[in-house]
Amino acid sequence: MKDFEMKEEDRDEKNDPDDARHPDDVHPDDESHPMEELLRMDRIPHIWCPGCGIGTVVTSFVEALRKSEIDLDKTAVVSGIGCSGRVAGYIKLDSFHTTHGRAVPFATGLKLANPELKVVVFSGDGDIAGIGGNHLIHAARRNMDLMIICVNNFNYAMTGGQVAATTPTGANASTAPYGNFEYPFSLPYLAEASGATYVARWTALHLRRVTKSIQEAFGKRGFSFIEVITPCVTLYARRNRLGDGLNLLKYYYEKSEIQHGADTRTLDISYQGKLTVGKFVDKEKPTFLDCMNEHLARVLGDKYRFYGVSHD
Amino acid sequence: MKKVKADPKGVLTGAHYFDGDYALAEGALAAGCRFFAGYPITPSTETAERFSERIPYVGGVFIQMEDELGSIAALIGASWGGKKVMTVTSGPGFSLMMENIGLACMMETPLVIANVQRGGPSTGLPTLTGQQDMMQVKWGSHGDYEIIALSPDSPQECFDLTIEAFNLSEIYRVPAFVMTDECVGHMHEKVVIPPAEEIELVERKWYKGPKDKYLPYKPDNDMIPFMVKAGDGYRFHTTGLTHDERGYPVINAECQDVCVRHLVDKIKMNADKIIRIEENQTDTAEIVVISYGITSRVTTRAVHKAKKAGIKIGTIRLITIWPFPEKRIKELAKTIKAFIVPEINYGQVVLEVERCAKGQAPVIHVPHCGGWVHDPVDIFNAIKEASK
Ligand SMILES: Cc1ncc(C[n+]2csc(CCOP(=O)(O)OP(=O)(O)O)c2C)c(N)n1
Ligand code: SF4
Ligand SMILES: [Mg+2]
C-alpha cells in the first residue's frame, strides 16, 4: 500500500490488512485474476474511465459473493442505466441491464416470480434515487426482499456530469454551471424513512467494509440499502477541481467518520464536508411475501394457496 | 412449439355473466398467468380487482405497483423469473408504459398487456370509450420493432383472445396486446369458460441444452431463440442495448442491423400464421366494411340496412390488428369498389387500409372522436355514398 495511511479505527478490526486497497491492485486483465469466475472476462476491458471508483465497488461486491455462502446460480443482478448501471453487464450471474430508473421494479417482478432468488440492484444515484426515486421508496415501504447497492458519485455521470438529486449544494455540474443551489437527498435517511431494514453508507475505498455490508445484507431478508460514495474522476472531480481518482478516493475516505447506528437524520452531505459512514439500520421485519402469505392465509384459511419459498 | 393443457386451478369452467374486464382476468388465469402487476385506471381497473380477488385461490402474485412504469418493469422482471405475466391499463397508463414496452421487445420477453381504451388525448374521457391507441400500440415506443395486437368485440372474446395473446406472446417471445375498449370492457354478456382440458396452451420454449453452449439471442430454425429463466444456472445476460447472440452489447451499425431486423422479421415472416380475420360475403361484395372491436358490432346494423337497400356488401372484422392483414386487403382492393373503415378515432387503422389498397380502391373513413360508438346511420350513409 503505497502512499496511503490507514485510519486507526479501521486498523482495529482488521484480519485483512488492506481494507483500503488501491483498485489497481486487482486489475481485471491479470490472467490469474481471482474474480474471473464471477466476471464476464469476455467483456473486459470495461468501459469505465481509468481511476473511476465503480470498479472498486464491483471488487467489493465480487468479494462478498465469494465469501457469502449463497447459491450463486440463484443470485441475480439488475442494473438500470448509467456508468454504474453497466455493472450488470460485467457480473457473471443472471444479469439484467434494464432501463433508466426501473431497475427496482424490474427486480421486484423478478424476485416475486421466483422467490428463491437473491436479487441485487446495482446502479447509480441518479438511476435509483432520481428518476427511480418513487420505486425506491415503495420497494422499501413494502420491505421487498432486495439488496440495493447505490453508487453515489454525486452526479449523472454517463450523460456528462449533470446535476443530480444527490449533488451537494454548492458543487458544480454541467447543468448547474454556477453551482448547485438545490438541497440534495440524504439517501440513508430516505431509505430508512421509507422502511428499509438494513441501511449502510461507505466510501468506495472502504473495500472491506463494503464487502462486509454486502455479506450482511446477503444474510438477511428484506430491503437492504447500501450507499457507496464513489469518485467520478472524469466529470464531477474535474469540474470541481478535486484532483484525480485516487486523490478523491483518499479524500472521501479521510473525510469519513464511522458512526455505526448514527441517526439517519444527521447524515446530510455538504460539499467537500465530513462524511458520516457506517451501518445505520439493521433490523428484522416481515417481507412483502411474508406479509402476503401470512395475511391471506389468516383471512382465507385453508383455501389460500401459499406462494413461494417457506422460511419455517 | 410444445402444447399443453390448461392448469385446472386457474380455469373457472362454466357459463358466467361477466363484463369484458372480468373476462380478461379469467382469460389470464386460464392461460396460466400467475403474476399480475397493475395500477388502477378507469375503465380497466375491474380486471386488476378481479385478478387480486382470484389469485390467492389459484397460487400466484398480484401486486399493485406505484405507477405504470413500475407495472411494466415488474412484468418484464417476472417474465424472466419464469412466470406468465399480465397487466391491464388505459390511455394515460399505456403512455407511461411505452419505454419499457421497447425493453420487452428488445429483450424478447413474453408478456401480455390489455388496454381497455378510453377517449384521449390526455385525461380525455376516463369513463367513455375510444379506439384511439391503435397506432400507439404499434409505434408508441421509440425505434423499430413489432408487436402483436388483438381486438375482442365481446366479453367472450376478451376471455378467448387473452388466452390467444398469451400463446402468441410465448411462441414469438414478444409483448402481445389485447386492445379492447370501455364499451366491451364494461359490457355484461354470457362468457362460457370451457373445461381446462379443452384449453390449449403453448409452453415457453425453454432451453435444455448444456449450460456453456447457451446463447440467449441465437435464433432457432423458427427464428425464435430459446429462453431460460433466472435461477436455472445459466448465468446469462440481457440488455436493452443493441446486442449480439450472447446478449452482450455491441454498439455499431452492423449489429444493429442484425438485431433490429430479427425483432421485426420474426413477426413479419410469421404474419400469416398469426393473423386472424373474420370475413363475410367479401367474395361477392362491391363495398367492404373493415372494422374491429365494438365498432364491428355497430357496423352489423349498417350492413343489414345496406343489404336491404340492395347494396352488394361484405365485411371484414379484424381480430388481429397487428401484424396487419395486408395481403388480403391488397387482393380485395383489386376486385371491389370501395372500403369503408369506421373506427372510434380520427383516422388510425384506416391509414393502414389505405397503404394496402395502394390507390386501387378508394378507402372511406368514418371517424368518431370517442365518448360513444358510431350511429349506424353514419356508417350506412358512407356505404350508400360509396356504392353510387
Ligand atoms: C428515460 C431516460 N432518460 C434519460 C436517459 C439518459 N441517461 C442515461 S444515464 C443517465 C444518468 C445516470 O446517472 P446515475 O444513475 O447517477 O449513473 P452514473 O452514470 O452517475 O453512474 C441519464 C440521465 C436515459 N437513458 N433514459
Ligand atoms: S464518467 Fe465518471 S462515473 Fe463514469 S466511468 Fe468515468 S469516472 Fe466513472
Ligand atoms: Mg451518478
Side-chain angles (χ1 to χ4, degrees):
Chain A
M1 184 71 29
K2 42 210 166 204
D3 181 29
F4 186 77
E5 268 310 304
M6 182 71 59
K7 283 190 201 172
E8 204 52 48
E9 75 219 37
D10 281 354
R11 269 200 196 122
D12 298 343
E13 287 188 25
K14 291 253 122 22
N15 328 323
D16 165 4
D18 54 353
D19 180 34
R21 274 179 295 179
H22 188 291
D24 286 353
D25 290 353
V26 276
H27 199 270
D29 47 29
D30 176 355
E31 280 214 305
S32 60
H33 196 253
M35 310 205 298
E36 193 162 320
E37 57 174 317
L38 286 163
L39 292 179
R40 297 187 187 276
M41 299 309 288
D42 47 355
R43 289 213 59 217
I44 306 289
H46 54 66
I47 62 151
W48 297 308
C49 307
C52 173
I54 297 172
T56 316
V57 189
V58 172
T59 305
S60 298
F61 178 61
V62 169
E63 196 58 24
L65 287 173
R66 286 153 44 111
K67 286 186 178 162
S68 304
E69 280 166 10
I70 51 169
D71 182 350
L72 294 174
D73 280 345
K74 304 258 180 251
T75 308
V77 179
V78 181
S79 292
I81 300 290
C83 295
S84 316
R86 289 301 185 101
V87 168
Y90 298 115
I91 304 286
K92 202 157 143 196
L93 297 176
D94 290 336
S95 60
F96 299 88
H97 182 219
T98 65
T99 43
H100 193 30
R102 314 304 157 208
V104 169
F106 189 105
T108 295
L110 188 62
K111 171 70 192 180
L112 293 180
N114 189 353
E116 14 167 81
L117 295 175
K118 281 270 174 201
V119 181
V120 180
V121 171
F122 206 134
S123 217
D125 52 310
D127 194 76
I128 289 172
I131 189 169
N134 196 34
H135 306 305
L136 170 69
I137 61 175
H138 285 280
R141 172 180 66 76
R142 298 181 180 111
N143 198 23
M144 198 55 68
D145 186 13
L146 300 173
M147 185 196 315
I148 315 294
I149 300 173
C150 181
V151 174
N152 184 0
N153 53 16
F154 301 133
N155 75 150
Y156 286 145
M158 176 145 272
T159 40
Q162 291 77 31
V163 70
T166 48
T167 309
T169 311
N172 287 320
S174 75
T175 48
Y178 310 110
N180 178 29
F181 49 80
E182 292 188 25
Y183 308 103
F185 263 145
S186 165
L187 298 181
Y189 181 30
L190 180 67
E192 183 182 20
S194 306
T197 49
Y198 184 96
V199 180
R201 172 196 276 163
W202 299 107
T203 78
L205 204 54
H206 289 96
L207 269 106
R208 201 178 52 87
R209 292 178 186 278
V210 174
T211 300
K212 192 169 165 224
S213 268
I214 297 171
Q215 278 180 272
E216 283 178 0
F218 270 132
K220 285 176 68 82
R221 298 171 56 252
F223 193 85
S224 304
F225 186 87
I226 301 167
E227 175 187 21
V228 189
I229 309 286
T230 307
C232 163
V233 268
T234 308
L235 300 162
Y236 184 77
R238 207 177 41 161
R239 186 163 280 113
N240 288 289
R241 302 185 206 290
L242 301 176
D244 67 18
L246 184 56
N247 278 330
L248 194 57
L249 262 178
K250 276 160 49 184
Y251 182 83
Y252 286 157
Y253 180 77
E254 277 153 15
K255 278 273 179 182
S256 66
E257 199 180 295
I258 299 179
Q259 273 185 48
H260 291 303
D263 184 336
T264 55
R265 287 173 298 183
T266 65
L267 302 178
D268 283 352
I269 294 176
S270 61
Y271 181 56
Q272 294 301 90
K274 182 187 84 169
L275 292 166
T276 305
V277 297
K279 178 170 80 176
F280 310 121
V281 178
D282 189 352
K283 60 184 180 195
E284 301 296 329
K285 190 165 91 173
T287 65
F288 173 90
L289 278 182
D290 295 339
C291 295
M292 180 181 101
N293 279 319
E294 193 272 326
H295 178 81
L296 292 174
R298 183 157 39 80
V299 176
L300 304 178
D302 289 347
K303 286 190 186 141
Y304 176 61
R305 280 182 194 269
F306 175 88
Y307 181 79
V309 188
S310 173
H311 293 281
D312 300 338
Chain B
M1 187 197 318
K2 192 172 162 204
K3 295 202 169 157
V4 291
K5 301 286 173 230
D7 171 1
K9 282 202 294 290
V11 184
L12 207 64
T13 304
H16 308 270
Y17 188 62
F18 278 158
D19 71 1
D21 282 2
Y22 269 35
L24 292 170
E26 290 301 333
L29 289 164
C33 173
R34 298 294 180 264
F35 181 89
F36 188 110
Y39 189 84
I41 187 164
T42 307
S44 73
T45 310
E46 293 87 335
T47 307
E49 289 171 343
R50 177 74 179 178
F51 199 95
S52 69
E53 194 184 321
R54 288 262 288 127
I55 195 67
Y57 301 100
V58 176
V61 177
F62 168 85
I63 183 168
Q64 184 170 307
M65 293 300 287
E66 47 278 8
D67 54 33
E68 290 87 346
L69 303 160
S71 304
I72 171 81
L75 240 55
I76 306 173
S79 187
W80 281 100
K83 289 283 185 290
K84 287 189 177 179
V85 302
M86 182 181 181
T87 189
V88 68
T89 190
S90 189
F94 200 51
S95 291
L96 284 185
M97 289 182 186
M98 285 302 142
E99 186 195 7
N100 272 340
I101 287 172
L103 180 69
C105 290
M106 197 64 152
M107 288 183 166
E108 302 193 55
T109 311
L111 54 85
V112 173
I113 299 175
N115 179 349
V116 186
Q117 294 171 88
R118 61 194 231 180
S122 189
T123 313
L125 300 170
T127 56
L128 300 177
T129 198
Q131 293 182 313
Q132 297 171 321
D133 307 341
M134 302 310 294
M135 281 294 181
Q136 186 184 21
V137 66
K138 168 82 167 74
W139 304 106
S141 196
H142 53 284
D144 290 314
Y145 59 93
E146 290 281 333
I147 50 82
I148 294 172
L150 311 174
S151 171
D153 74 347
S154 63
Q156 179 69 53
E157 259 196 5
C158 284
F159 176 84
D160 297 339
L161 293 187
T162 299
I163 295 175
E164 179 150 341
F166 271 99
N167 284 344
L168 291 167
S169 155
E170 294 291 336
I171 296 171
Y172 296 104
R173 284 186 61 178
V174 74
F177 296 82
V178 183
M179 298 296 288
T180 184
D181 73 287
E182 187 277 331
C183 276
V184 175
H186 285 165
M187 166 195 295
H188 282 77
E189 278 184 350
K190 187 171 164 186
V191 175
V192 179
I193 300 182
E197 63 272 17
E198 286 170 27
I199 299 175
E200 202 162 77
L201 303 177
V202 174
E203 196 182 274
R204 194 168 291 183
K205 201 169 137 183
W206 298 116
Y207 177 77
K208 304 249 163 63
K211 292 200 169 152
D212 54 332
K213 294 276 173 343
Y214 179 60
L215 290 168
Y217 292 99
K218 185 177 164 49
D220 189 24
N221 296 335
D222 63 356
M223 302 181 77
I224 313 303
F226 283 96
M227 201 161 166
V228 297
K229 67 176 197 294
D232 284 351
Y234 289 92
R235 304 199 187 178
F236 64 95
H237 181 62
T238 178
T239 174
L241 288 167
T242 295
H243 49 262
D244 62 14
E245 292 181 342
R246 297 171 299 176
Y248 288 2
V250 180
I251 308 303
N252 63 37
E254 291 73 33
C255 188
Q256 170 80 349
D257 188 74
V258 177
C259 182
V260 174
R261 224 179 252 274
H262 166 71
L263 298 181
V264 171
D265 285 354
K266 70 174 180 179
I267 303 302
K268 271 201 169 159
M269 310 255 227
N270 286 304
D272 287 345
K273 288 189 214 151
I274 299 168
I275 291 168
R276 272 179 56 198
I277 58 176
E278 202 175 81
E279 290 194 41
N280 247 308
Q281 294 176 312
T282 44
D283 43 349
T284 54
E286 284 185 348
I287 308 291
V288 172
V289 185
I290 300 180
S291 60
Y292 54 91
I294 187 64
T295 306
S296 45
R297 292 179 70 163
V298 177
T299 295
T300 310
R301 172 87 71 87
V303 169
H304 274 306
K305 224 173 148 191
K307 274 185 193 153
K308 272 194 198 150
I311 299 169
K312 286 188 180 161
I313 187 140
T315 56
I316 291 184
R317 180 165 78 90
L318 305 174
I319 296 170
T320 316
I321 308 289
W322 305 110
F324 196 71
E326 52 185 62
K327 264 194 212 153
R328 185 63 186 133
I329 309 282
K330 270 180 197 161
E331 273 167 23
L332 277 173
K334 291 181 200 142
T335 62
I336 66 164
K337 225 165 147 180
F339 289 111
I340 311 288
V341 186
E343 50 181 345
I344 308 174
N345 59 52
Y346 230 57
Q348 298 198 11
V349 168
V350 66
L351 300 175
E352 202 58 8
V353 179
E354 277 171 11
R355 180 181 72 78
C356 300
K358 288 197 160 86
Q360 300 212 24
V363 178
I364 295 148
H365 191 228
V366 189
H368 191 305
C369 282
W372 193 222
V373 294
H374 289 78
D375 183 338
V377 172
D378 295 336
I379 303 173
F380 172 74
N381 288 341
I383 296 169
K384 204 169 81 181
E385 188 62 28
S387 69
K388 277 183 191 158

PDB file of all heavy atoms in Angstrom, chain A residues 269-282:
ATOM      1  N   ILE A 269     -24.977  15.414   3.455  1.00  0.00           N
ATOM      2  CA  ILE A 269     -23.633  15.564   2.897  1.00  0.00           C
ATOM      3  C   ILE A 269     -23.495  16.997   2.369  1.00  0.00           C
ATOM      4  O   ILE A 269     -24.274  17.435   1.530  1.00  0.00           O
ATOM      5  CB  ILE A 269     -23.400  14.553   1.758  1.00  0.00           C
ATOM      6  CG1 ILE A 269     -23.410  13.128   2.330  1.00  0.00           C
ATOM      7  CG2 ILE A 269     -22.086  14.843   1.035  1.00  0.00           C
ATOM      8  CD1 ILE A 269     -23.288  12.033   1.299  1.00  0.00           C
ATOM      9  N   SER A 270     -22.499  17.722   2.906  1.00  0.00           N
ATOM     10  CA  SER A 270     -22.258  19.070   2.389  1.00  0.00           C
ATOM     11  C   SER A 270     -21.062  19.000   1.452  1.00  0.00           C
ATOM     12  O   SER A 270     -20.276  18.043   1.488  1.00  0.00           O
ATOM     13  CB  SER A 270     -21.998  20.040   3.529  1.00  0.00           C
ATOM     14  OG  SER A 270     -20.845  19.627   4.229  1.00  0.00           O
ATOM     15  N   TYR A 271     -20.933  19.996   0.613  1.00  0.00           N
ATOM     16  CA  TYR A 271     -19.882  19.991  -0.395  1.00  0.00           C
ATOM     17  C   TYR A 271     -18.506  19.884   0.256  1.00  0.00           C
ATOM     18  O   TYR A 271     -18.112  20.753   1.025  1.00  0.00           O
ATOM     19  CB  TYR A 271     -19.986  21.259  -1.241  1.00  0.00           C
ATOM     20  CG  TYR A 271     -18.946  21.325  -2.334  1.00  0.00           C
ATOM     21  CD1 TYR A 271     -18.827  20.301  -3.268  1.00  0.00           C
ATOM     22  CD2 TYR A 271     -18.080  22.407  -2.408  1.00  0.00           C
ATOM     23  CE1 TYR A 271     -17.866  20.356  -4.257  1.00  0.00           C
ATOM     24  CE2 TYR A 271     -17.117  22.476  -3.398  1.00  0.00           C
ATOM     25  CZ  TYR A 271     -17.010  21.436  -4.317  1.00  0.00           C
ATOM     26  OH  TYR A 271     -16.052  21.489  -5.291  1.00  0.00           O
ATOM     27  N   GLN A 272     -17.791  18.809  -0.026  1.00  0.00           N
ATOM     28  CA  GLN A 272     -16.461  18.532   0.495  1.00  0.00           C
ATOM     29  C   GLN A 272     -16.423  18.527   2.032  1.00  0.00           C
ATOM     30  O   GLN A 272     -15.377  18.737   2.625  1.00  0.00           O
ATOM     31  CB  GLN A 272     -15.435  19.530  -0.054  1.00  0.00           C
ATOM     32  CG  GLN A 272     -15.227  19.396  -1.569  1.00  0.00           C
ATOM     33  CD  GLN A 272     -14.744  18.015  -1.988  1.00  0.00           C
ATOM     34  OE1 GLN A 272     -15.540  17.122  -2.269  1.00  0.00           O
ATOM     35  NE2 GLN A 272     -13.436  17.818  -2.008  1.00  0.00           N
ATOM     36  N   GLY A 273     -17.580  18.301   2.629  1.00  0.00           N
ATOM     37  CA  GLY A 273     -17.614  18.280   4.094  1.00  0.00           C
ATOM     38  C   GLY A 273     -17.384  16.874   4.624  1.00  0.00           C
ATOM     39  O   GLY A 273     -17.041  15.946   3.887  1.00  0.00           O
ATOM     40  N   LYS A 274     -17.637  16.731   5.908  1.00  0.00           N
ATOM     41  CA  LYS A 274     -17.478  15.450   6.575  1.00  0.00           C
ATOM     42  C   LYS A 274     -18.487  14.431   6.023  1.00  0.00           C
ATOM     43  O   LYS A 274     -19.614  14.796   5.686  1.00  0.00           O
ATOM     44  CB  LYS A 274     -17.732  15.680   8.071  1.00  0.00           C
ATOM     45  CG  LYS A 274     -17.575  14.471   8.929  1.00  0.00           C
ATOM     46  CD  LYS A 274     -18.002  14.766  10.353  1.00  0.00           C
ATOM     47  CE  LYS A 274     -19.519  14.610  10.480  1.00  0.00           C
ATOM     48  NZ  LYS A 274     -20.038  14.629  11.855  1.00  0.00           N
ATOM     49  N   LEU A 275     -18.066  13.172   5.950  1.00  0.00           N
ATOM     50  CA  LEU A 275     -18.981  12.118   5.504  1.00  0.00           C
ATOM     51  C   LEU A 275     -19.174  11.131   6.648  1.00  0.00           C
ATOM     52  O   LEU A 275     -18.230  10.450   7.039  1.00  0.00           O
ATOM     53  CB  LEU A 275     -18.373  11.362   4.319  1.00  0.00           C
ATOM     54  CG  LEU A 275     -18.209  12.101   2.993  1.00  0.00           C
ATOM     55  CD1 LEU A 275     -17.301  11.313   2.061  1.00  0.00           C
ATOM     56  CD2 LEU A 275     -19.563  12.322   2.355  1.00  0.00           C
ATOM     57  N   THR A 276     -20.362  11.094   7.161  1.00  0.00           N
ATOM     58  CA  THR A 276     -20.617  10.093   8.196  1.00  0.00           C
ATOM     59  C   THR A 276     -20.934   8.774   7.495  1.00  0.00           C
ATOM     60  O   THR A 276     -21.828   8.718   6.650  1.00  0.00           O
ATOM     61  CB  THR A 276     -21.797  10.517   9.082  1.00  0.00           C
ATOM     62  OG1 THR A 276     -21.517  11.816   9.587  1.00  0.00           O
ATOM     63  CG2 THR A 276     -21.997   9.554  10.227  1.00  0.00           C
ATOM     64  N   VAL A 277     -20.168   7.754   7.835  1.00  0.00           N
ATOM     65  CA  VAL A 277     -20.390   6.447   7.226  1.00  0.00           C
ATOM     66  C   VAL A 277     -20.663   5.425   8.324  1.00  0.00           C
ATOM     67  O   VAL A 277     -20.515   5.724   9.509  1.00  0.00           O
ATOM     68  CB  VAL A 277     -19.173   6.003   6.366  1.00  0.00           C
ATOM     69  CG1 VAL A 277     -18.947   6.957   5.203  1.00  0.00           C
ATOM     70  CG2 VAL A 277     -17.917   5.874   7.208  1.00  0.00           C
ATOM     71  N   GLY A 278     -21.061   4.230   7.917  1.00  0.00           N
ATOM     72  CA  GLY A 278     -21.311   3.179   8.899  1.00  0.00           C
ATOM     73  C   GLY A 278     -22.561   2.404   8.564  1.00  0.00           C
ATOM     74  O   GLY A 278     -23.147   2.574   7.495  1.00  0.00           O
ATOM     75  N   LYS A 279     -22.918   1.548   9.502  1.00  0.00           N
ATOM     76  CA  LYS A 279     -24.174   0.814   9.361  1.00  0.00           C
ATOM     77  C   LYS A 279     -25.172   1.490  10.278  1.00  0.00           C
ATOM     78  O   LYS A 279     -24.958   1.582  11.484  1.00  0.00           O
ATOM     79  CB  LYS A 279     -23.974  -0.641   9.773  1.00  0.00           C
ATOM     80  CG  LYS A 279     -25.256  -1.439   9.699  1.00  0.00           C
ATOM     81  CD  LYS A 279     -25.015  -2.915   9.859  1.00  0.00           C
ATOM     82  CE  LYS A 279     -24.835  -3.280  11.324  1.00  0.00           C
ATOM     83  NZ  LYS A 279     -24.691  -4.732  11.519  1.00  0.00           N
ATOM     84  N   PHE A 280     -26.250   1.974   9.709  1.00  0.00           N
ATOM     85  CA  PHE A 280     -27.180   2.796  10.477  1.00  0.00           C
ATOM     86  C   PHE A 280     -28.426   2.040  10.915  1.00  0.00           C
ATOM     87  O   PHE A 280     -29.016   2.346  11.934  1.00  0.00           O
ATOM     88  CB  PHE A 280     -27.588   4.026   9.657  1.00  0.00           C
ATOM     89  CG  PHE A 280     -26.419   4.773   9.070  1.00  0.00           C
ATOM     90  CD1 PHE A 280     -26.302   4.961   7.701  1.00  0.00           C
ATOM     91  CD2 PHE A 280     -25.408   5.256   9.898  1.00  0.00           C
ATOM     92  CE1 PHE A 280     -25.222   5.634   7.166  1.00  0.00           C
ATOM     93  CE2 PHE A 280     -24.316   5.935   9.368  1.00  0.00           C
ATOM     94  CZ  PHE A 280     -24.218   6.120   7.998  1.00  0.00           C
ATOM     95  N   VAL A 281     -28.842   1.111  10.096  1.00  0.00           N
ATOM     96  CA  VAL A 281     -30.071   0.372  10.399  1.00  0.00           C
ATOM     97  C   VAL A 281     -29.805  -1.104  10.140  1.00  0.00           C
ATOM     98  O   VAL A 281     -29.194  -1.455   9.128  1.00  0.00           O
ATOM     99  CB  VAL A 281     -31.242   0.826   9.484  1.00  0.00           C
ATOM    100  CG1 VAL A 281     -32.506   0.022   9.778  1.00  0.00           C
ATOM    101  CG2 VAL A 281     -31.518   2.322   9.618  1.00  0.00           C
ATOM    102  N   ASP A 282     -30.227  -1.948  11.065  1.00  0.00           N
ATOM    103  CA  ASP A 282     -30.129  -3.399  10.858  1.00  0.00           C
ATOM    104  C   ASP A 282     -31.201  -4.032  11.723  1.00  0.00           C
ATOM    105  O   ASP A 282     -31.012  -4.238  12.914  1.00  0.00           O
ATOM    106  CB  ASP A 282     -28.722  -3.891  11.257  1.00  0.00           C
ATOM    107  CG  ASP A 282     -28.509  -5.344  10.842  1.00  0.00           C
ATOM    108  OD1 ASP A 282     -29.486  -5.995  10.407  1.00  0.00           O
ATOM    109  OD2 ASP A 282     -27.366  -5.820  10.953  1.00  0.00           O
TER     110      ASP A 282
END
